Amino acid sequence: MNEIILIKLGELVLKGLNRRSFEDKLQANIHRRLHTFGQFRVYTRQSATYVEPKDDSCDVLGAYEALKNVFGIAGLSLARPCEKDKDAILATVKEFLGDQLSRAHTFKVETKRADKTFPMTSIQLSQYVGGLLDDAYENLQVDVHNPEFTVHVEVRDYAAYVHADAEPGAGGLPVGINGRAVSLLSGGIDSPVSSYMIAKRGVALDMVHFFSYPYTSPEAKDKVLELARLLTAYTGRLTVHVVPFTAIQEELRRSCPEELFTIVMRRFMMRISQEVAKRCGAKALVTGECLGQVASQTMEAMMVTGGVVELPVLRPVVGMDKEEIVQIARKIGTYDTSILPYEDCCTVFTPRHPRLRPTLAEVERAEAKLDIDAMVQAAVDGIERVQVQ
Ligand code: ATP
Ligand code: MG
């Protein structure tokens, strides 16, 4: 019989979120994430979700690895089914968990019995299996209070299952349960991390990237698409809206005081992102801004950039040290791609002395002679949508 995957749900005390919609969303996300690994049956019983391969062609181990990145999963384990018989269960434990048992010093057996017709109680079965394992492994001693290793046995309707303790899952909330946001993705370290963090709170994402060809190279765009692809391990399939940004930057260089160039440019990024958000039903914008990291990330600058849009701007890494952001980037696998040396549109025409504390009045004065709506519209009309998965 094929192994199955047992899943423990995350954040069981769900304030304001209904448990049923949590389970439904998670099941749908699991289905979508597993389609490349074969056909699986996914269902939930008593706060555990079960993922069962429908046939032998399924790649259960591949599916298990993929599920480690799915938000809403607190823990997961691989379980091996066997006949509902005490000696079959014992043999399966030895075969499936033997390596781990031979390395441990203390252990216990914990049994759950959904099938009440099984001839032994949970305690009797735990004692039977535990006693014989104790005899079989010289290194092992039973410790029911603080064991190094726990053998789990579940007796269910059609089979018994054995598994080890659950491994930690990705945590968070199922993607999509908290609506949709547009995330501004550059080629840097911070914005992939901020995208990951908001997705973890159950938010589906659309990505926006501002591209300044020929000032930035096609490789710079490929790098961003690769970052988005890496994020799909957590978010599922993504759309990257690649916005042609060169015309706006050239116009701003011509007509904008140099020290306000960056802040005015960032206001255009926000306006265009908000237009994208309207079209895809997103209710917030996400950036990788971090307080004090660069000139455009002072509180005054954030007020002036955030103030140009109605949608809330989520900045999940705003209070983090670079080192903390880097740690997450490494954990989620985006760091090595982020540090590849490609230029970003923000580094094109960078002023020598950007204004650290811009006021709204001076920025609005700088923008007064621009045809903002037409510039935004032209950029939106030129968007190229790239699907990544
Ligand atoms: P990152 O490491 O994410 O590039 P950063 O520290 O380089 O951030 P900035 O370049 O000032 O900071 O950008 C701040 C935020 O603005 C980014 O985190 C990202 O959300 C957004 N941003 C910057 N450049 C782009 C771009 N070319 N396309 C889309 N979003 C961008
Ligand atoms: Mg950047």
Side-chain angles (χ1 to χ4, degrees), residues 12 18 27 42 72 97-98 127 142 163 190 195 213 222 241 247 289 297 317 320 331 343 356 365 372 389:
L12 287 179
N18 153 333
Q27 280 188 28
V42 184
L97 304 175
Q127 284 175 344
V142 175
H163 62 92
D190 305 333
S195 306
Y213 187 78
D222 292 343
H241 305 255
E289 288 166 295
Q297 298 179 16
V317 304
M320 290 168 73
K331 184 184 85 176
E343 62 294 338
L356 283 177
R365 227 175 302 130
I372 293 173
Q389 55 188 354

Side-chain angles (χ1 to χ4, degrees), residues 249-264:
Q249 287 189 298
E250 287 177 338
E251 172 66 42
L252 296 185
R253 184 174 54 168
R254 265 195 302 276
S255 60
C256 197
E258 186 188 314
E259 68 277 13
L260 293 177
F261 173 86
T262 305
I263 191 96
V264 173

Side-chain angles (χ1 to χ4, degrees), residues 300-314:
E300 288 82 352
M302 286 186 200
M303 190 187 79
V304 173
T305 49
V308 77
V309 286
E310 285 159 19
L311 292 179
V313 180
L314 309 180

Side-chain angles (χ1 to χ4, degrees), residues 135-374:
D135 294 344
Y137 293 85
E138 283 188 355
N139 55 304
L140 278 185
Q141 261 187 330
V142 175
D143 178 349
V144 292
H145 300 297
N146 195 17
E148 224 175 278
F149 188 75
T150 302
V151 173
H152 296 266
V153 176
E154 280 192 41
V155 184
R156 306 222 339 259
D157 290 346
Y158 298 105
Y161 295 87
V162 305
H163 62 92
D165 281 329
E167 285 188 83
L173 300 169
V175 165
I177 204 167
N178 272 331
R180 178 172 294 276
V182 161
S183 186
L184 284 74
L185 185 65
S186 68
I189 295 169
D190 305 333
S191 47
V193 170
S194 54
S195 306
Y196 165 87
M197 289 174 75
I198 293 300
K200 185 170 182 179
R201 295 314 299 160
V203 179
L205 297 177
D206 267 69
M207 315 309 273
V208 168
H209 177 65
F210 297 92
F211 182 49
S212 306
Y213 187 78
Y215 301 105
T216 61
S217 60
E219 286 82 5
K221 178 169 125 188
D222 292 343
K223 174 186 173 183
V224 170
L225 294 178
E226 173 61 10
L227 286 170
R229 196 191 61 75
L230 291 168
L231 286 168
T232 62
Y234 309 95
T235 59
R237 158 196 246 262
L238 284 172
T239 301
V240 185
H241 305 255
V242 181
V243 183
F245 207 45
T246 314
I248 288 179
Q249 287 189 298
E250 287 177 338
E251 172 66 42
L252 296 185
R253 184 174 54 168
R254 265 195 302 276
S255 60
C256 197
E258 186 188 314
E259 68 277 13
L260 293 177
F261 173 86
T262 305
I263 191 96
V264 173
M265 177 189 78
R266 296 195 58 78
R267 280 162 63 88
F268 273 93
M269 287 186 172
M270 302 312 268
R271 291 183 181 105
I272 294 165
S273 300
Q274 179 164 266
E275 285 306 310
V276 174
K278 273 187 203 156
R279 277 148 220 236
C280 62
K283 297 291 185 291
L285 306 180
V286 181
T287 76
E289 288 166 295
C290 176
L291 198 54
Q293 208 182 68
V294 292
S296 62
Q297 298 179 16
T298 61
M299 285 189 276
E300 288 82 352
M302 286 186 200
M303 190 187 79
V304 173
T305 49
V308 77
V309 286
E310 285 159 19
L311 292 179
V313 180
L314 309 180
R315 301 176 173 96
V317 304
V318 74
M320 290 168 73
D321 290 349
K322 194 74 188 183
E323 201 38 54
E324 295 172 305
I325 301 173
V326 164
Q327 238 175 47
I328 298 179
R330 285 188 196 281
K331 184 184 85 176
I332 66 176
T334 53
Y335 182 76
D336 290 340
T337 303
S338 285
I339 60 172
L340 292 175
Y342 290 120
E343 62 294 338
D344 180 52
C345 77
C346 285
T347 54
V348 178
F349 316 137
T350 308
R352 278 157 295 179
H353 305 289
R355 183 70 50 81
L356 283 177
R357 315 211 179 285
T359 66
L360 190 55
E362 66 181 332
V363 170
E364 282 177 347
R365 227 175 302 130
E367 288 178 349
K369 31 188 182 321
L370 302 170
D371 188 349
I372 293 173
D373 290 347

